[in-house]
Amino acid sequence: MAFVWGPIKLMLQLASKNLSIFDKLLDAYARIAEALPRCERLRAAFSDDVQFQDLLGQSYADVLEFHRRAYKIFRRRGWSLLFDSLWRSFDSQFEKILLNLSRSRDLVESEALSRHIVEAKDARRAATERLEEIEKSRRTVQLREVLTWLGEDETAQENEFYRLCKIRYAATCDWASSETKVSSWFDERQGPQTLWVTGNPGSGKSVLCAYIIEQMEARHDSTVAYYICNYHNPKGTCVRALRITMAQILRANQDLLPFVCETYIAKGKNPSEREMGKLLPSLLSSIHSCRIVIDGLDELHQEDGKDLLGSLVRCFSTSVPNSKLLVVSRDVEHIRKTLAKEEQVQLHHHTSLALRMYIKSRVDTLKEDFGGADSQCWNNIQQQLNAKAKGR
């Protein structure tokens, strides 16, 4: 039973530092003890009864299920901050566990196993299915409530990301996966926490950014949130970008929805830039790993760009060790002032090969469409285009 006593000891040690949390944990153990069947009294009579052993195993399984779910709360980063919200969310699951334990106890002590075991199993299965449906519905309602509170539609961002992925020519961004600074940024255990990728207008920054987002999403080891800026963004985009980033994080980590509902929405707080600046570090400190990507920061109104970058830098200056930030923009003064000490990748050092691949692809398309000229003529056109592009 070491796999039970270990988590019990750890949870009690952690909870002992907070009297309120400690009392809740002791109360939970007292309720479990009340619901457990009195196995010692019946062991001799049922020692060879397979049905009894199976039902007893179900009781142990319920105790293990309690510890599995409770242990997840204590393992989460920043658990003490989120405990009240997460424990209230756990109540309905705990009640189901107690109900199952009570059913097992009643069946054992009534010695009517042969008639009721199948019914008990069916009832457990039905109760579990009902609980899962209730939990799914509750999360759906909470997600809708949080998204309504944030008041932002992510559709335009998703569409722009999809468009950038579609226009990328095959293999033109593959260099990024082997570039030292970018590849180490991918790795949560090493590399820079903040990476700044710079490039000239039209050099493929946004396409590269979409490629990096796509690669991170394919890894399935981090939450990925992004905001793609453009010159058409109105003033006040800073708070909108923070809200959309927050919505993406919460969609991927729905166990944090009760915390937002109780700590922000129920208390009537507005989704202001100030409140978003408080919420983001709380979320990042409570999830395993996150990557936030901001593309085209220089395209925002300068004041918005400064505010957005300032909010993110302040957030990442707190204790969020497994989360990282990627900023993609032109190398402009107001951004450089903030990111001068961060790792930087200059895009023009890496675009020559991608441009040659793109030019060759376009020239090949023209050859198919128009034909006529000999191969040397097309080669000359391709060489001239390469020379004029100058790798930028």
Side-chain angles (χ1 to χ4, degrees):
M1 296 295 288
F3 50 90
V4 173
W5 288 117
I8 290 176
K9 182 179 179 182
L10 177 60
M11 289 192 296
L12 287 172
Q13 285 176 339
L14 292 172
S16 65
K17 299 175 183 178
N18 185 303
L19 186 59
S20 173
I21 295 175
F22 190 68
D23 286 343
K24 288 180 180 178
L25 193 57
L26 288 181
D27 179 65
Y29 281 126
R31 295 178 70 190
I32 289 174
E34 291 175 3
L36 277 172
R38 293 160 180 80
C39 302
E40 288 295 327
R41 182 165 57 84
L42 299 172
R43 178 177 294 176
F46 290 98
S47 59
D48 298 322
D49 192 316
V50 176
Q51 291 179 320
F52 172 79
Q53 299 297 330
D54 180 64
L55 190 57
L56 189 60
Q58 293 176 18
S59 298
Y60 288 134
D62 288 324
V63 175
L64 287 172
E65 179 64 7
F66 165 79
H67 285 95
R68 185 183 73 82
R69 292 181 178 273
Y71 191 47
K72 284 176 67 176
I73 295 175
F74 284 88
R75 285 189 63 194
R76 179 176 288 284
R77 288 188 180 87
W79 67 271
S80 58
L81 174 66
L82 308 176
F83 183 84
D84 286 339
S85 297
L86 296 178
W87 193 261
R88 278 192 289 273
S89 177
F90 175 52
D91 270 347
S92 61
Q93 300 163 351
F94 185 36
E95 291 299 329
K96 189 268 291 187
I97 292 171
L98 291 175
L99 180 62
N100 286 339
L101 283 171
S102 298
R103 286 199 181 103
S104 298
R105 178 195 60 199
D106 294 341
L107 284 172
V108 169
E109 295 184 350
S110 70
E111 301 180 16
L113 300 177
S114 60
R115 184 175 56 179
H116 294 302
I117 281 180
V118 172
E119 295 177 7
K121 287 182 176 178
D122 290 343
R124 287 166 59 88
R125 187 181 303 109
T128 300
E129 290 173 355
R130 284 196 301 273
L131 179 65
E132 289 175 352
E133 285 299 318
I134 291 170
E135 181 71 8
K136 184 178 178 180
S137 298
R138 185 175 66 86
R139 287 283 167 85
T140 300
V141 170
Q142 287 180 334
L143 179 60
R144 188 182 303 119
E145 186 178 0
V146 168
L147 293 178
T148 300
W149 176 68
L150 290 171
E152 299 293 348
D153 185 0
E154 305 148 78
T155 306
Q157 286 291 309
E158 292 175 7
N159 289 341
E160 180 62 8
F161 167 63
Y162 180 61
R163 184 190 72 81
L164 291 169
C165 290
K166 284 198 304 181
I167 65 174
R168 183 179 71 244
Y169 276 78
T172 53
C173 292
D174 290 356
W175 62 267
S177 298
S178 56
E179 203 281 334
T180 304
K181 293 176 182 177
V182 177
S183 60
S184 64
W185 182 84
F186 281 147
D187 192 337
E188 68 181 52
R189 296 165 297 181
Q190 60 181 8
Q193 187 172 39
T194 299
L195 181 64
W196 184 25
V197 176
T198 61
N200 295 324
S203 60
K205 298 188 298 298
S206 293
V207 172
L208 173 66
C209 190
Y211 171 82
I212 291 174
I213 295 169
E214 192 175 52
Q215 292 298 303
M216 284 303 306
E217 289 182 337
R219 291 162 64 104
H220 302 295
D221 58 359
S222 290
T223 299
V224 182
Y226 60 87
Y227 189 82
I228 302 168
C229 311
N230 62 64
Y231 287 111
H232 302 295
N233 289 140
K235 288 185 177 180
T237 296
C238 170
V239 68
R240 181 168 187 266
L242 290 173
R243 289 172 184 167
I244 287 180
T245 301
M246 223 79 70
Q248 294 168 343
I249 292 172
L250 288 166
R251 278 188 188 277
N253 299 274
Q254 296 191 13
D255 55 333
L256 295 176
L257 291 171
F259 169 70
V260 179
C261 289
E262 293 182 18
T263 309
Y264 287 84
I265 300 175
K267 294 181 179 179
K269 295 181 180 179
N270 292 317
S272 63
E273 183 178 339
R274 178 172 177 268
E275 295 299 338
M276 294 299 97
K278 294 178 181 178
L279 176 56
L280 184 57
S282 298
L283 297 183
L284 294 183
S285 65
S286 303
I287 60 181
H288 170 67
S289 178
C290 184
R291 297 293 183 274
I292 294 180
V293 180
I294 304 296
D295 174 52
L297 184 65
D298 56 289
E299 298 188 29
L300 295 182
H301 291 278
Q302 185 168 318
E303 208 58 41
D304 278 334
K306 287 181 178 179
D307 290 345
L308 176 57
L309 186 56
S311 295
L312 293 172
V313 168
R314 283 191 297 274
C315 172
F316 280 86
S317 67
T318 62
S319 181
V320 286
N322 291 326
S323 295
K324 296 188 177 185
L325 172 66
L326 174 67
V327 177
V328 182
S329 71
R330 290 184 299 137
D331 188 347
V332 295
E333 184 179 358
H334 70 273
I335 298 176
R336 172 166 289 282
K337 282 183 179 178
T338 304
L339 299 180
K341 295 182 180 180
E342 307 296 345
E343 293 281 7
Q344 184 179 0
V345 174
Q346 295 177 337
L347 204 54
H348 68 265
H349 292 320
H350 304 278
T351 53
S352 296
L353 177 59
L355 273 171
R356 288 197 297 272
M357 294 170 64
Y358 174 77
I359 289 170
K360 182 179 185 305
S361 174
R362 297 299 295 164
V363 169
D364 287 344
T365 300
L366 290 172
K367 284 165 67 176
E368 292 176 6
D369 290 344
F370 297 101
D374 58 30
S375 296
Q376 186 58 46
C377 176
W378 289 113
N379 289 339
N380 290 338
I381 292 173
Q382 186 171 323
Q383 290 173 7
Q384 286 293 317
L385 288 171
N386 285 330
K388 296 289 185 182
K390 297 180 180 179
R392 293 178 293 180

